[in-house]
Structures are given as C-alpha cells and as structure tokens.
Amino acid sequence: MIKRTFIGLAKPRLEYDVIDETLPAPVKVPKSKKVTLLSYGPWDPNCVVNVKNGDKVKTGQKIALNTGNDVVSPVTGTVSSVSEFTDGKGQKRAAVSIDVADVEEIDENFASFTKGQDFNQVKLYLAYAPGKPEFSIFSDADKPIKTVVICGADSDLMLVTRQYVLKSGIEDIKQGIKMLKKITGVQNVIMAVPQHLSQTAASTGAQVKVIDAQYPAANPFMICKDILGQVVPAGKSCEDIGVHMMSAEAVASIGKAFSLGKVPSEKIVTVIRKDETKALVSVTIGTPVKDVLKAVNVIANEGDRIVFGGPFTGTAAYSEDQPIEADADALIVQDSDDIPLVSDYPCINCGECVRACPVNIPVNMLVRLLENAMYEEAQNQYDLDSCIECGLCSYVCVARMPIFQYIRLAKHELARMNTVEATND
Amino acid sequence: MTNRKKFIVSHAPFWHDGSQISARSYHMMIAALPAVLFGLIQYGVPALAVLAFSVATAMLWELVMNYLMKRPVSIGDGNAALIGLLLGMMVPATTPWWAILMGTFVAILLGKHVYGGIGGNPFNPVLIALAVLMLSWADLFDFAEAYRNYEFDFAMVYPIAMLKYYGVSAISSFDTGALMMGKQIGGIGATFGLGLIIGGIYLIIRGIIRWEIAISFLVGVFVTALLFNMADSAKYAGPMFHLFAGYTLIGAFFLATEDSSSPVNFIPMLIYGAGAGIMTVLIRNIGVFVDGVVFAILLMNLVSPLLDKIRPKAIGKVA
Ligand code: SF4
Ligand code: SF4
C-alpha cells in the first residue's frame, strides 16, 4: 500500500507498475475439477438453455442461456448446474458449472465460422475470450465507433497483465488488429501504451500513443482527453464520442482465435500476495479463486480480503469459489491487518479530495449531498456525472469517508430512477 | 459452494494513504510546541496551568457533548484538545480559571457541537470563544494589566495596544528582531514569532494547513500595513510590526487555516487569506479593537462558503 509521504504538499504520486524486463513466465494454474462460467447479462429464471444438467460440452462450445447472454465453455466436461449467482456488485447473473473431464475435445463450430468468415457468429464466441473483446458496441447505429484504442497499459496500480500480453503476444496482437479492422470495419486503431512498450507496440504497424506513468492516466476517460484530445462530456461514455477501448489481451485473443481456429481460454492474471509481491499466472477462465491462490502458495484466511482487479477500481470477492472471469486482470489478497477501514466521521473540509480529483469535482461539497441521499442535487450542482471513478478521493480522505462508494451508489440510484421514470411515461 | 470462509467484502478503493484526523490534530499540536514551550519558559507555572486547564476542559466539554448528543466518543481525534490548546495560547498566563472554563465551553458547544460536531462548524471554534470572552470581559485581554506581577527585560506593555492608544512613537522600543524572538507580552503562545513561523512551515510542508491561506493572510497584512504606513508613517506602524505583533502569526498559521471554516479551492483560499489579512490591519488601524485578527478571520469565515463557489469547471461539464 502506498502511504502518504512526509511532504504532503504535492498530490499523491501513484505510478503504474512496469513489468520486469526479463518477462517471467506465468505460473500455469493446473486445470480445476470444476469451472464456473458467469453470464454477462442478468439472470433470467426462464432462460433458454440448450444444455441440461448432465449434458456433455466440448471445449469452445457455446452454451446459449438466452439472447446475448451466452457463455463459451473453456473446458470439456459435464454440465452440473445452471443457477442464479449474485456478483460483487449485487447483479444477479447466471452461473453454469461444469465438471471437467480428463480428455479434452474441441468443438469445431468456431473454426468453421472463422473459415467461412461468418463474423456475426465469430463475435458471439469471442465475447467470452480472455480480455473480453466486446463487439456488440459496434452494431449500435446511434453510436458509430470511429476509433478503437487498444490499451497496453494496465487499468490499475500494481497490475502487469496487459503489459505482459503485449510484450509476449505481439504477433497475436498484430493479427488481432487485422481481424478487428475486418470484423468491425473501423480503420482507426490506436495503441495506447506505457513509454517502455512504445517500441514493441510500434512493430504492429498501428499508430502508437504513450500513456503517462501516473495514475489515473490509463483510465478510459483520461485516455480520451489526454491522448485523443476529446473530452467525454459529463454523464456520457467513451462510446458516445465514437471511441471504444479494448485491452491488449482482448485483441490478442482475437488474433489467436483466428490463427488457431479456436476460442482461447487461458487468461493472464496478476496475483498480488499479502506482502505485495506479484506473480503472473495463466489460468483457464472459470477456475475458482482458491485454485489460483493454491498455485502461487497464497493462503487466504477468514477476515482477509480478496479483490478482483486493482486496488483502486477492483471488486471484493466474498468467496474463494468465485471464478476468474474473462476480464479479471488481477487478484489481490489483503491480510486482515492491512485492510484500511472506513469511518463514520463527517467531512472535515480538509480539501485533500479536491486536490486529488483529476477532473476538478468539488468532492467536499458533493459528499455532503451524497451522504444525505440528495442525488439529483449532487448531479446538478456538484458535477457528480463528471466523475471518472478513479477512487482517488476515497484514497486520500482524512476522515476516511467511503466517498467512492457514495458516488457509485448515487450513480446507480439515479440510473434506477431514470428507468422507473421511463417506464412510467 | 460449500467452503465458507468469511472474507471482508467492501468497496474500492482498497488502499488508503494512511492519513487520519487524529494525526492532523496531533501534528498541529506538535507544530505549536515551539511557541508553547517559549510561553511556558517566559510565564512559568501559571502558563502551564492555563494551557493544561484549557486542554483538559475542552476535552471534558467534548465528552459531555458526546454524551448529551448520544454520539460516539470523539476526544480521540484530538480536535477538542487542539481547540483547547489554541485557546490557551491566545490568552494571558494569568487568565482566571472560570474564564477558561467558559471559553472552552463556548468553543466546544457554540463553536462546534451546535453545528453537528467536527467539520460542521462555519466559524473557527477558538475564535468564537475568544470573541465571546473579548466582548464579555475585555479586561481579561488587557495584557499589561495581566502581567503586572512579572518583570522582564523589555517594555511590559502590549505592543499593539500601545500603538492603538499612543501612536507609532510609543512602540519605537520594539524592533522586528525583538518581536520575532518573543520580547513582547501577549498570549501565552502567541508572542514567539520565530516559533510560530517554524511551526507554520512544518504544517505547510506536511500539507496539513493550506499554504495559500497562511501566505495570503501574511501578504494581506503586509501590503495593507505598508499602504497605511506610506500614507502616514507617524500615525500608522510599518508592516513588519504588524506581522510580528499581536495575534498575526498564530492567526495566519493556526487559526485562519482551520479546515471547516475556510475555503478549499485555490482562488477562494487566496481571497480568503488576503481578505482576513487586510481586515486585520483595517481593524487595528481604524477600528475600535486593539487587535483585528479574531474578528477579521471570523468575518472571512462568514463569506468562506460563498468564496468557495469560485471553482474550476469540472472536466467534461457541459455549459
Ligand atoms: S472518484 Fe473521486 S477523485 Fe476520482 S474522479 Fe470521481 S470524484 Fe474525482
Ligand atoms: S478528503 Fe474527506 S474530509 Fe477532506 S474534504 Fe474531502 S471528503 Fe472532506
């Protein structure tokens, strides 16, 4: 954990980690006996399932849950259950559990689609590949995507996943970019990478831009502003201004899928141990957390905290049985003694958050309204919608208020209120 | 999913920079130490008694308020102790116990808890208490009278009171160096200029107070005093005198910078500090009170929320 320095005048200097020159080979996590696949879409009790308990599935076979909510099995085995699952953000999703068989069989459908250049089918399969390449966004006629930014910098501190993939899989990325252009028709592809990877990135032939080393420069909104010179208006997304971000791993997956004729299923994850040492692992999507931790000799005890993603933007897991998902770049285990607790103190108006906020939000005022559930006022008067969700305000808050949590809750509540209004109209 | 170890499930960010309110309070107290120690050496046991009683009663009132308001006990955050210490630093070493008890009561109750406790106060609690004491028992702040039983090797008069009533000629014995080294009478912890400056620099470097406020306050005092002095140097003292006499330095570093009652945005902080500095000299030179610091800062506390409306536009904000 990075602490405040003695000299507190400057803004906190939080720099992204740089991957070692020597490129450690990732630890391969042995295949689990059972994997769990989580749907991206919401759980629907009546969802149409084209498999039933006891059915055999092959590696790379698509399991249709309902429209747009499919999963692709990364293993060969037997379906043992399809059930409801509530994730760390409180969303209800479908969970498909598969008992893994000893002998792997490959489903050939995907290969035939790639050969036949049936990109519509290919897209559906790829959505479950490592890095989670998303294609649905390209078919939204209201938001034409003009630029794809391939992010080779990691999304949060401590992580080296994307950097590793970029460094070790540059050929896949090259192929991925080619296919990406073909599938989506978007020609403007930019690689945004940390300084030390700009040479590597340049060998793909794509246009390369360098991301600053200081957090939160790799935040999508910051990339739009600093690298593309396009500020995303408050309350809008990058897609609204025609920009879509893809991680280096997602693009590598696309490339690999075409060259191998199968959907890749091994994901690179940075595991951060309790003592903050790191290990890169290569793990099959759907593997439960406990198997990953076992592979790198980490023991999580009662009262510890397990986080999917980085220290600033991740989500806490509530069970070691939760699976690694396609976009989980990191797994952090924090010892119970190292967990900073939030307090119920009010804001003391010290101004630290205001100085830390990269988008000039008057957080000290905002938080006063959010505490009292005055969400609309917060949106109208104190720029709630400009927040890029970097978490810096909570990180520096002297009163240790859960500011970031208030912000996300407020955005969630406002979105819910809007849907209710829309349905009432 | 059978194996059920319980993990902590909480919300991002999962890191914290380690800062906390209590650390802030204690650093303020550490920064005040040079000035406090000097006061203790100068005025001896009575000063120690005043400071100890002030800190103790402030914490006691805080505890009483916690109890009455059915809130968690908050003396651990050091804020009450800091209020007590600062109040003690502003009064003479001979202040009677009842005045201190009254002062800390007003500071904690009227200054802080009526607004909901820490962070809610629109005014600096210490200054509220001082203002009430000054208006109710003005004699308490007649420093020359208060220290009549002391004997020092410098003029036993309160410099800015002398200036007010007898003009510039009366303060000729106070040169800047002497004032800075605390060769003047005044509040227990308010006279040792060098000590206060050292403490202030410490707080600025640690990022505990906002330098914008402290510095602009001093600049405000300096420039205003200079203008008056240039207009009529026989009537109005020079800027260096105003910087080192009375409550100027403790005001700049320890009072104007109080978190809750001061702005947090850059330009508002500058206006706020400069405004308080200018008002200080205006009150001293043409107002009725001997020292302007208390009322000048309180006045700026009043406009602080308005000033803070001047802020940079959030990035991405349309219109
Ligand atoms: S999370 Fe906090 S610091 Fe980051 S953009 Fe939002 S308000 Fe600003
Ligand atoms: S950092 Fe926390 S206590 Fe300080 S102004 Fe911001 S919200 Fe208030």
Side-chain angles (χ1 to χ4, degrees):
Chain A
M1 200 172 323
I2 298 169
K3 295 285 184 190
R4 195 170 199 262
T5 51
F6 182 84
I7 296 181
L9 252 187
K11 283 189 178 185
R13 248 199 105 71
L14 301 167
E15 294 203 352
Y16 291 103
D17 276 34
V18 168
I19 197 168
D20 292 339
E21 256 324 294
T22 45
L23 270 211
V27 177
K28 205 165 154 42
V29 179
K31 271 230 159 68
S32 302
K33 291 203 192 64
K34 183 186 196 135
V35 299
T36 307
L37 308 173
L38 300 180
S39 69
Y40 295 143
W43 162 250
D44 171 0
N46 309 314
C47 65
V48 191
V49 185
N50 66 351
V51 290
K52 53 185 186 308
N53 287 358
D55 273 1
K56 296 246 180 299
V57 289
K58 293 178 182 172
T59 304
Q61 180 177 337
K62 192 166 72 165
I63 303 172
L65 293 171
N66 51 14
T67 348
N69 210 358
D70 311 341
V71 298
V72 174
S73 177
V75 292
T76 305
T78 320
V79 174
S80 61
S81 74
V82 178
S83 57
E84 181 186 312
F85 171 87
T86 312
D87 73 8
K89 290 185 177 144
Q91 262 159 359
K92 290 197 181 354
R93 298 156 67 179
V96 180
S97 294
I98 300 170
D99 292 334
V100 181
D102 292 336
V103 188
E104 184 165 52
E105 288 175 69
I106 309 284
D107 181 85
E108 298 297 335
N109 282 326
F110 181 73
S112 66
F113 293 137
T114 50
K115 286 205 196 78
Q117 307 244 323
D118 184 350
F119 292 147
N120 283 333
Q121 285 295 333
V122 167
K123 287 181 199 168
L124 295 178
Y125 278 81
L126 282 179
Y128 224 76
K132 197 179 170 186
E134 254 181 276
F135 288 100
S136 55
I137 200 79
F138 292 94
S139 33
D140 188 341
D142 294 337
K143 301 175 190 170
I145 299 296
K146 290 183 241 67
T147 308
V148 177
V149 176
I150 301 173
C151 202
D154 284 282
S155 59
D156 206 330
L157 300 180
M158 304 286 289
L159 278 57
V160 290
T161 302
R162 291 180 184 174
Q163 299 175 56
Y164 174 81
V165 173
L166 181 69
K167 249 187 136 165
S168 63
I170 201 71
E171 282 309 313
D172 290 331
I173 290 180
K174 212 165 159 178
Q175 168 76 358
I177 294 176
K178 201 174 103 199
M179 294 322 295
L180 185 66
K181 287 184 176 169
K182 219 164 166 178
I183 299 175
T184 62
V186 177
Q187 294 308 313
N188 191 17
V189 176
I190 294 172
M191 297 211 43
V193 297
Q195 180 67 48
H196 68 106
L197 288 176
S198 57
Q199 291 279 327
T200 319
S203 65
T204 60
Q207 192 188 349
V208 175
K209 301 262 183 159
V210 171
I211 295 182
D212 192 75
Q214 193 173 342
Y215 186 80
N219 177 294
F221 293 94
M222 297 306 270
I223 291 181
C224 284
K225 169 173 151 297
D226 296 338
I227 298 213
L228 307 177
Q230 283 174 278
V231 175
V232 180
K236 301 274 182 199
S237 64
C238 299
E239 279 73 19
D240 287 319
I241 60 164
V243 179
H244 180 63
M245 305 274 164
M246 267 193 182
S247 74
E249 193 173 33
V251 180
S253 289
I254 300 173
K256 220 184 251 171
F258 277 94
S259 41
L260 299 180
K262 63 175 189 187
V263 184
S265 57
E266 292 277 308
K267 160 118 199 52
I268 300 292
V269 176
T270 312
V271 183
I272 297 154
R273 303 187 182 93
K274 290 182 187 179
D275 58 1
E276 298 195 357
T277 55
K278 270 189 292 244
L280 272 176
V281 300
S282 160
V283 52
T284 306
I285 289 171
T287 303
V289 166
K290 59 170 181 268
D291 291 352
V292 180
L293 296 184
K294 205 189 288 161
V296 290
N297 301 319
V298 176
I299 297 165
N301 299 318
E302 181 124 348
D304 291 350
R305 183 158 63 187
I306 298 178
V307 177
F308 289 113
F312 278 77
T313 53
T315 326
Y318 55 79
S319 156
E320 275 185 303
D321 296 312
Q322 278 179 251
I324 297 291
E325 294 190 67
D327 57 351
D329 281 349
L331 202 56
I332 304 178
V333 184
Q334 257 185 335
D335 193 80
S336 53
D337 292 339
D338 298 332
I339 298 177
L341 295 176
V342 295
S343 84
D344 53 3
Y345 258 83
C347 169
I348 59 161
N349 207 42
C350 66
E352 293 293 337
C353 52
V354 177
R355 280 190 291 275
C357 181
V359 292
N360 296 336
I361 290 176
V363 189
N364 62 329
M365 297 309 293
L366 179 71
V367 75
R368 285 177 166 75
L369 297 186
L370 297 186
E371 262 190 311
N372 294 302
M374 297 163 75
Y375 301 134
E376 278 169 328
E377 293 84 348
Q379 192 175 34
N380 297 335
Q381 294 166 35
Y382 294 112
D383 306 317
L384 175 67
D385 286 338
S386 286
C387 173
I388 62 166
E389 311 206 349
C390 66
L392 280 175
C393 47
S394 288
Y395 171 71
V396 300
C397 180
V398 174
R400 305 201 172 200
M401 302 179 81
I403 309 175
F404 192 23
Q405 184 166 8
Y406 280 133
I407 289 177
R408 281 206 178 147
L409 176 68
K411 287 185 170 179
H412 174 81
E413 285 297 310
L414 286 166
R416 210 176 49 91
M417 274 150 62
N418 282 342
T419 359
V420 173
E421 261 166 42
T423 22
N424 287 350
D425 283 347
Chain B
M1 299 194 178
T2 42
N3 166 16
R4 279 292 177 204
K5 270 187 224 165
K6 285 205 181 63
F7 296 116
I8 300 282
V9 181
S10 49
H11 196 272
F14 303 104
W15 281 2
H16 191 272
D17 71 357
S19 59
Q20 49 188 335
I21 298 175
S22 54
R24 266 176 104 79
S25 307
Y26 298 134
H27 282 298
M28 290 284 280
M29 291 190 237
I30 291 170
L33 267 186
V36 167
L37 285 177
F38 182 88
L40 291 181
I41 293 167
Q42 184 126 303
Y43 303 113
V45 178
L48 180 65
V50 166
L51 287 173
F53 192 63
S54 184
V55 171
T57 51
M59 291 172 75
L60 192 74
W61 290 126
E62 176 88 3
L63 206 60
V64 169
M65 291 314 296
N66 288 156
Y67 178 75
L68 288 181
M69 304 237 179
K70 299 191 175 60
R71 292 268 188 88
V73 171
S74 60
I75 44 172
D77 64 21
N79 183 258
L82 177 64
I83 292 175
L85 182 69
L86 288 174
L87 187 70
M89 288 168 75
M90 307 276 289
V91 297
T94 53
T95 312
W97 64 270
W98 54 264
I100 296 167
L101 191 69
M102 183 72 197
T104 51
F105 174 75
V106 170
I108 301 292
L109 179 83
L110 289 184
K112 185 174 167 189
H113 280 285
V114 283
Y115 304 107
I118 190 167
N121 49 299
F123 300 101
N124 184 332
V126 178
L127 294 177
I128 290 283
L130 274 171
V132 168
L133 292 181
M134 280 177 164
L135 295 176
S136 314
W137 298 280
D139 296 349
L140 289 176
F141 294 87
D142 183 345
F143 289 94
E145 177 61 21
Y147 292 126
R148 65 180 181 277
N149 293 328
Y150 281 86
E151 193 69 57
F152 295 123
D153 59 352
F154 51 82
M156 292 295 291
V157 290
Y158 191 41
I160 57 168
M162 289 303 281
L163 172 69
K164 178 120 220 145
Y165 301 122
Y166 304 103
V168 173
S169 55
I171 53 160
S172 54
S173 70
F174 295 101
D175 64 81
T176 309
L179 285 174
M180 185 153 101
M181 293 315 293
K183 291 194 181 303
Q184 56 172 325
I185 55 169
I188 297 169
T191 56
F192 183 34
L194 185 66
L196 289 167
I197 292 172
I198 292 171
I201 291 174
Y202 174 78
L203 291 175
I204 287 176
I205 291 175
R206 298 295 321 257
I208 288 167
I209 60 169
R210 294 164 228 150
W211 65 266
E212 293 90 339
I213 294 176
I215 302 300
S216 60
F217 181 91
L218 294 176
V219 170
V221 168
F222 186 90
V223 171
T224 319
L226 185 68
L227 291 177
F228 270 100
N229 185 243
M230 284 187 335
D232 186 349
S233 63
K235 201 164 161 208
Y236 301 116
M240 294 313 270
F241 176 83
H242 280 287
L243 283 185
F244 292 104
Y247 292 144
T248 312
L249 289 170
I250 194 172
F253 294 117
F254 292 87
L255 299 171
T257 53
E258 199 264 337
D259 288 317
S260 178
S261 55
S262 58
V264 300
N265 289 305
F266 183 66
I267 293 174
M269 285 193 284
L270 295 183
I271 303 177
Y272 168 89
I278 294 167
M279 288 303 300
T280 296
V281 179
L282 284 181
I283 297 176
R284 281 181 183 177
N285 282 354
I286 51 183
V288 287
F289 292 99
V290 167
D291 197 346
V293 172
V294 171
F295 294 103
I297 298 177
L298 280 174
L299 205 70
M300 292 312 285
N301 283 169
L302 191 67
V303 290
S304 157
L306 286 178
L307 289 176
D308 235 356
K309 293 215 184 291
I310 309 170
R311 57 184 167 91
K313 201 168 109 177
I315 290 170
K317 187 183 175 118
V318 239

